[in-house]
Amino acid sequence: MLSNHIQNGIGMASLAWSRLPGTEEAEVHDEADLASTSCGNGVESLDYEVIENYAYREEQAQRGKLFIGFYVAMKWFLALLIGIGTGFAAIFINIAVENFAGWKFSATFSIIQTSYLAGFVVYILFNLVLVFSSVFIITQFAPAAAGSGIPEIKGYLNGVDAPGILLFRTLIGKILGSIGSVGGGLALGKEGPLVHTGACIASLLGQGGSTKYHLRSRWLQVFQSERDRRDLVTCGCAAGVAAAFRAPVGGVLFALEEVTSWWRSQLMWRVFFTSAVVAVVVRTAMAWCGSGKCGHFGSGGFIIWDISGGQEDYSFEELLPMAFIGVIGGLLGALFNQLTLYITRWRRQYLHKKGNRVKIIEVCLVSLISSAISFGLPLLRKCSPCPESEVNSGIECPRPPGMYGNYVRFYCAKDNEYNDLATIFFNTQDDAIRNLFSAKTFHEYSAQSLLTFLVMFYTLAVVTFGTAVPAGQFVPGIMIGSTYGRLVGMFVVNFYKKLNIEEGTYALLGAASFLGGSMRMTVSLCVIMVEITNNLTLLPLIMLVLLISKAVGDAFNEGLYEMQAQLRGIPLLESRPKYHMRNMAAKEACRNQKVVYFPRVVKVAEVVSVLRSSKHNGFPVVQGNRETLVIGLILRSHLLVLLQSKVDFQHSPLPSDIRGGSIPIRHNFSEFVKPVSSKGLSIDKIYLSPDDIEMYIDLAPFLNPSPYIVPEDMSLTKVYNLFRQLGLRHIFVVPRPSRLIGLITRKDLLIEENEDPATMELQSTSVRPHRRDRRVLGRDSEAEHPLLNGLLVQD
Amino acid sequence: MLSNHIQNGIGMASLAWSRLPGTEEAEVHDEADLASTSCGNGVESLDYEVIENYAYREEQAQRGKLFIGFYVAMKWFLALLIGIGTGFAAIFINIAVENFAGWKFSATFSIIQTSYLAGFVVYILFNLVLVFSSVFIITQFAPAAAGSGIPEIKGYLNGVDAPGILLFRTLIGKILGSIGSVGGGLALGKEGPLVHTGACIASLLGQGGSTKYHLRSRWLQVFQSERDRRDLVTCGCAAGVAAAFRAPVGGVLFALEEVTSWWRSQLMWRVFFTSAVVAVVVRTAMAWCGSGKCGHFGSGGFIIWDISGGQEDYSFEELLPMAFIGVIGGLLGALFNQLTLYITRWRRQYLHKKGNRVKIIEVCLVSLISSAISFGLPLLRKCSPCPESEVNSGIECPRPPGMYGNYVRFYCAKDNEYNDLATIFFNTQDDAIRNLFSAKTFHEYSAQSLLTFLVMFYTLAVVTFGTAVPAGQFVPGIMIGSTYGRLVGMFVVNFYKKLNIEEGTYALLGAASFLGGSMRMTVSLCVIMVEITNNLTLLPLIMLVLLISKAVGDAFNEGLYEMQAQLRGIPLLESRPKYHMRNMAAKEACRNQKVVYFPRVVKVAEVVSVLRSSKHNGFPVVQGNRETLVIGLILRSHLLVLLQSKVDFQHSPLPSDIRGGSIPIRHNFSEFVKPVSSKGLSIDKIYLSPDDIEMYIDLAPFLNPSPYIVPEDMSLTKVYNLFRQLGLRHIFVVPRPSRLIGLITRKDLLIEENEDPATMELQSTSVRPHRRDRRVLGRDSEAEHPLLNGLLVQD
């Protein structure tokens, strides 16, 4: 009787289990409790729903449809806010960087009219101050903001919450740090950090602001489940890419292909909306800046490096050199990944352990070297005479110093000469790329200059990678790639003299090939390349080059982000199971585990001792007198909350609902929600008096009544797929069943909502005892027939 | 002892279970056995893997890595073939359509110089012959080729295999039928059918050719699992879109967003490759045709309706009229879906039941009406004088009849007049769209003409939809949308006189809005619109319009394809569970089921009687004397194969492996592979002698030893997600477990492949008792160090 009663209780729990405040899309992963394992740095996130069903149950029944509407509207409103926020952050970074760089170059150029040495010193100092400010902010204030942040975000969306990555201080550090490091002329970009920035904005908005800085708004706090937060962060990533490259479709695809681990088709639509908002915001701001209100910023259009005036057509003879570019991209990209892996590992193991001072000195040294090379090397280069310009080409030669554009005059003797190395090296990265991509500038650069630049910049990019500043790899990758692309283009122009070939086209393909070879993205990169250059006719060529470079790169190592994630201790679950898993059964994966069970009503002392002695994040809960039954899973973090709050302690070892009355609701659900990017509670920090220790807790209201289960001899490949595709955190491995309740097929899941009127009623009532009794009776009567009845009734 | 032995056997079976010939990506859905339910028209597909493990086991062990390499290479080779095949099919259809239409218009134009009546008759007859040939082919030869085919392909990829959709005859019917129906001037497009064509090509290549027409190649038959076939069909869909719109990225996104139900990130890369191949093939063929070798075909470039010369910028005042276009699109699109639903339902219930003759007459009638309207209405329209043309605009007015372009001269009194209605109505659809999209043609059309065209064409499109010819809805949608778009554009031009507004831009937005309102696609449609018009600057506007039109449309009904799929009895499993499922437990879904079990060794008579009396597609298999154990699932289709072949019948009621020796391999695995698009075997067609009936079958080698299981009181929402996300066909509902073998967490699944050298060896050996023991030892000693130790070292 007791057992039966409890069974009912559990049945109810599991029924109510999925009645969330999140509704429109809340169904998809009920146990989408992304969380890290016990791997030190990551702290487990918790699945909010577990609690919800008990406490919100009544509330929900009243709120009903109204709350759902509010919830859905809030999701869209937040998507809008994320778009606007990320758009403004991007604009702010861009304006700041362009202005700092602009002042720097104007000052330097005006000083070198009198003395090159003084100009050199000013240039170096300017860079040093900017870079120092960046590294100072990062090391002192926001250590999690170093690097591009994409591996960490990828990890977060895969289920590993590295500490600090989504905090308000990280956001601020990322924005200010990128301005310093990019404005300071290091060989890195601001695009990767913008993805992280977008994710931070999304996460902060999702939790209603920063807790620490008392910037929370209560009415924004509707999103407390991990799934909702993850969705928002996905939107944020897409917004970041959309803002960084002004490529809204590319942003959606980047989020889809590169960042997320669990994609839901409903999400696409909202991510798309966020990207569109970003595009509108960025475009509006740029239009406003176009009239010169933003200082040095404002020359670029919505398309960053427009090459639509370039090559319109291509012939078959060109495919071979283009394929060659793909191969180079694959090789250099794989080499880049490998070198940065070694150098980052070395940094982490030796250099960065020595403290922040070493980090600061390191970055300042890199800045000095970068400045010296970018200023000094063009000095050594002999100037070239300007080409005979056509009247209407719109290309001026030489440019007056301090202005954007091709054919920069730098340390030249004659008036109509330009310095080709300075044109790409002694310039902002955006302008350098524009110059490399530019059409109608045949042989603007000598092969010698391009090679010099390639070698030096490649080395600088490798060395700079992994220093303690926010650093993206897109722009350096584009610069490296477009250099050798243009080099190949020069040879092709010489070789196929009669064809209408633009060197800029080859530079674009080179850029695509290097990014493909290093980051191993496909569709998203392709779309981003098209969107940033506004040239659709080259699409099949970009695809070809990407295919080759990715294939070549894959032959050597993994993608940049995967390798970096691994190095940083972010254990990403790949989308495919390892090959050897097909030879293993589920039980082999958990062979040496000693399963620690909790009884339904457990003594506090026992909980404490188990939590102290084991590191597991989840514990099965059993109950029953003669026959035990596994009734669910309780999370470590929930137990800690229960221990800390103490309100659920009881003196009786009997379940609370049996002692009469319903389960009292004493908890506010937000107590169970782990703040993003924090370590959560620890058992050592909870003080319990000797009296407390002697009391009991009824775990039933707090457990997940039906985690996914697999039979013990299921292939580990299948288990992996289940785990990975549903985004689970715990799977119970159970013995082979001895009987079945039934089989579920497609037909059983195609129940129409209005099929029987009783079902409709079910939705609005949550407690419906007599219906359930009927069902119980039904099952009882079934039990009288032997199990294999079906088999016996044969003719 | 017996039980133990068997248990081992099962353990091995489940271990070997996933050792497929498919390897690179074969892991993802082990039980990705897509199949229909018992819903009449659909026939169940089978999961090949079930058998494989026993028969291929030895073979695989020998083949090893070599076969894997071959298998992966074959996948890429097939992707290449699909790309080439679809590209050529598209080129063939395009050339044929353009030539038929070209001849038709030239003939008509040359005749109307003398008599409009004779021209009218010739025009009508020409159309009638083309349309008749199309409907004749469809009704007599390939009934499955009618319609767009996209709902059916969507169903196939969702798991419902409608009969006949992927046959060779369907492919031929689709290609020839589209030529007739599009060339014959009906209000439909050739783009939807091209998606179906691509899918057919992919499916036929995947099974190594057509069985019926003896076009099979043995060495192409490596892809016999449902998953591989589905992947190929996905590639084919993307190739179809890429070829139809010359939009490779759009193709990938269409396959991702609209068609597939289970997307795997590995697939993206291959789908992308296929699209790139299509792009290259189409581009090459068009370049070849450009020199006039393909008759009337060849004027278009790689971008279908290039509007890159159009509006470059937009101002904020324009956002309101653009939002208005979105609203109109949503309303008209939803209305279109609803009207076509009613009309198709009526057709299916009354008209098409009366046989093929009625279908033919119906289509011919529609053709007559379409011809009469498109010829007759422009006759009623007064001609307008040509605008004063600029010298360099490249726009000629009036055009000589029979040529492409704007300002068609038709039934005009004076020489410098043109007929605006004829320009869009009495023209091929591609030219009409190009004219509607055209820039620098202010007020080419009067509002009256546009309205007339809108009403007439909308009606024609609704009436034509659902007739027995291949019919796509993209081009009609674009025509309808661009008409009202241009209409709005005209008003905007009048209203904001000073702004630089092109009516063609509004036409483009109108087209996007109607497609968004009807098909409810988002990202893919957006990319397709950009790719077909080569205008990236309008991207944010297209996004805005799509957002609005989809939202408006969603307020009324579902998308076109979903509604049509529902109507055709294709029960698509949506990506989210129904709302009421959250109140149901798993056992409620299978409440009225009586589970029919088979024992491991079963009498043939019993199998026959169960198969006769029940309609289930899968049966659990149990074994054991005192204690029963569910040892797996056997599929109906596999049982039928076993009954038909009889080779596995045995006299003894004991399992074969107990009687000594290993399980003999008597089957060729291809026997178990259900041919695509067929009904498969039926129990009524299998003859068994009285002797056969008395024999036994040991089912162990043929069963799926570990289907996914759920506890009985798991929320149905969770069950649905499991079913949907993993693409399952059967889930066992089991009682709550009484104990656990263990818990699987992320940590347990992060086993490195090269963690111990023994693992590598494991891959090539299938029977390895002592090897496994060593591993056990290895893991024991490891257990002292936590697995993720290395990862924990953080600074």
Side-chain angles (χ1 to χ4, degrees), chain A residues 14 28 283 313 591 713 791, chain B residues 14 283 313 597 713 721 776:
Chain A
S14 95
V28 177
R283 199 195 158 282
D313 210 347
R591 182 166 322 173
D713 46 7
L791 270 183
Chain B
S14 94
R283 199 194 157 281
D313 210 347
Y597 296 90
D713 45 8
N721 288 326
V776 173

Side-chain angles (χ1 to χ4, degrees), chain A residues 579 582, chain B residues 16 18-23 48 52-68 71 669 763-766:
Chain A
Y579 185 82
R582 54 184 56 203
Chain B
S18 58
R19 207 173 315 117
L20 307 181
T23 28
Y48 176 52
E52 218 147 13
N53 50 8
Y54 271 80
Y56 267 174
R57 201 197 288 167
E58 289 302 306
E59 217 174 332
Q60 281 308 300
Q62 289 157 21
R63 285 188 183 183
K65 291 272 174 190
L66 197 69
F67 184 79
I68 296 173
Y71 182 80
F669 303 100
Q763 295 174 27
S764 50
T765 54
S766 59

Side-chain angles (χ1 to χ4, degrees), chain A residues 256-420:
Chain A
L256 162 63
E257 186 187 353
E258 193 59 20
V259 188
T260 56
S261 299
W262 298 277
W263 183 263
R264 301 179 297 120
S265 56
Q266 302 98 297
L267 193 55
M268 189 122 165
W269 187 213
R270 212 159 58 242
V271 170
F272 185 62
F273 171 71
T274 315
S275 294
V277 171
V278 171
V280 171
V281 169
V282 172
R283 199 195 158 282
T284 312
M286 295 186 69
W288 189 78
C289 283
S291 43
K293 290 175 194 147
C294 310
H296 290 264
F297 178 77
S299 62
F302 187 69
I303 309 293
I304 307 187
W305 302 298
D306 198 325
I307 59 161
S308 54
Q311 192 170 348
E312 282 294 313
D313 210 347
Y314 50 91
S315 58
F316 266 85
E317 292 97 319
E318 293 183 68
L319 290 184
L320 189 69
M322 284 166 180
F324 182 62
I325 288 181
V327 174
I328 302 179
L331 293 175
L332 286 184
L335 181 68
F336 185 83
N337 293 1
Q338 207 62 42
L339 290 178
T340 50
L341 180 73
Y342 291 143
I343 229 169
T344 318
R345 191 181 287 153
W346 175 77
R347 274 213 179 89
R348 292 173 74 88
Q349 283 180 354
Y350 302 103
L351 208 62
H352 286 183
K353 285 198 173 152
K354 295 182 184 156
N356 284 338
R357 189 170 303 205
V358 175
K359 288 185 188 174
I360 293 178
I361 293 173
E362 179 197 19
V363 175
C364 291
L365 266 180
V366 171
S367 165
L368 283 177
I369 296 170
S370 303
S371 307
I373 289 178
S374 65
F375 191 98
L377 276 185
L379 286 183
L380 302 177
R381 174 91 197 131
K382 233 183 83 216
C383 287
S384 325
C386 278
E388 296 183 16
S389 64
E390 298 163 38
V391 181
N392 275 330
S393 69
I395 294 168
E396 211 178 313
C397 176
R399 290 265 168 190
M403 297 285 286
Y404 311 105
N406 284 291
Y407 300 110
V408 169
R409 187 159 175 269
F410 181 75
Y411 203 59
C412 295
K414 294 188 200 147
D415 263 1
N416 62 342
E417 280 186 342
Y418 72 99
N419 188 324
D420 62 344

Side-chain angles (χ1 to χ4, degrees), chain A residues 66-380:
Chain A
L66 197 68
F67 184 79
I68 296 173
F70 171 68
Y71 183 79
V72 173
M74 275 306 291
K75 279 185 171 181
W76 284 91
F77 180 64
L78 274 187
L80 177 75
L81 285 187
I82 292 169
I84 293 175
T86 312
F88 275 113
I91 288 290
F92 174 68
I93 293 176
N94 268 307
I95 290 179
V97 166
E98 295 274 319
N99 275 309
F100 279 123
W103 293 331
K104 178 177 72 183
F105 281 110
S106 331
T108 312
F109 271 118
S110 66
I111 293 172
I112 58 173
Q113 307 298 329
T114 52
S115 154
Y116 273 88
L117 188 66
F120 184 53
V121 171
V122 166
Y123 179 73
I124 281 187
L125 281 180
F126 221 118
N127 279 340
L128 200 60
V129 168
L130 283 171
V131 169
F132 177 78
S133 70
S134 168
V135 70
F136 188 79
I137 290 167
I138 297 303
T139 48
Q140 305 299 323
F141 180 69
S148 84
I150 293 179
E152 285 86 357
I153 300 297
K154 220 177 150 171
Y156 176 77
L157 293 176
N158 192 273
V160 186
D161 191 1
I165 55 155
L166 292 173
L167 297 180
F168 186 65
R169 56 161 61 207
T170 306
L171 171 65
I172 298 299
K174 205 93 198 179
I175 292 177
L176 298 182
S178 317
I179 294 172
S181 61
V182 177
L186 292 181
L188 41 78
K190 56 189 182 294
E191 280 71 15
L194 253 174
V195 175
H196 192 168
T197 304
C200 283
I201 292 175
S203 170
L204 290 169
L205 283 173
Q207 51 181 301
S210 165
T211 325
K212 190 167 174 191
Y213 299 98
H214 305 290
L215 295 170
R216 300 194 72 154
S217 153
R218 251 198 77 74
W219 63 283
L220 276 175
Q221 295 177 39
V222 283
F223 301 107
Q224 298 184 323
S225 84
E226 274 300 311
R227 187 184 41 242
D228 287 338
R229 289 183 177 179
R230 203 172 62 233
D231 287 357
L232 288 175
V233 170
T234 307
C235 282
C237 286
V241 175
F245 297 106
R246 301 166 214 167
V249 178
V252 175
L253 286 174
F254 180 82
L256 162 63
E257 186 187 353
E258 193 59 20
V259 188
T260 56
S261 299
W262 298 277
W263 183 263
R264 301 179 297 120
S265 56
Q266 302 98 297
L267 193 55
M268 189 122 165
W269 187 213
R270 212 159 58 242
V271 170
F272 185 62
F273 171 71
T274 315
S275 294
V277 171
V278 171
V280 171
V281 169
V282 172
R283 199 195 158 282
T284 312
M286 295 186 69
W288 189 78
C289 283
S291 43
K293 290 175 194 147
C294 310
H296 290 264
F297 178 77
S299 62
F302 187 69
I303 309 293
I304 307 187
W305 302 298
D306 198 325
I307 59 161
S308 54
Q311 192 170 348
E312 282 294 313
D313 210 347
Y314 50 91
S315 58
F316 266 85
E317 292 97 319
E318 293 183 68
L319 290 184
L320 189 69
M322 284 166 180
F324 182 62
I325 288 181
V327 174
I328 302 179
L331 293 175
L332 286 184
L335 181 68
F336 185 83
N337 293 1
Q338 207 62 42
L339 290 178
T340 50
L341 180 73
Y342 291 143
I343 229 169
T344 318
R345 191 181 287 153
W346 175 77
R347 274 213 179 89
R348 292 173 74 88
Q349 283 180 354
Y350 302 103
L351 208 62
H352 286 183
K353 285 198 173 152
K354 295 182 184 156
N356 284 338
R357 189 170 303 205
V358 175
K359 288 185 188 174
I360 293 178
I361 293 173
E362 179 197 19
V363 175
C364 291
L365 266 180
V366 171
S367 165
L368 283 177
I369 296 170
S370 303
S371 307
I373 289 178
S374 65
F375 191 98
L377 276 185
L379 286 183
L380 302 177

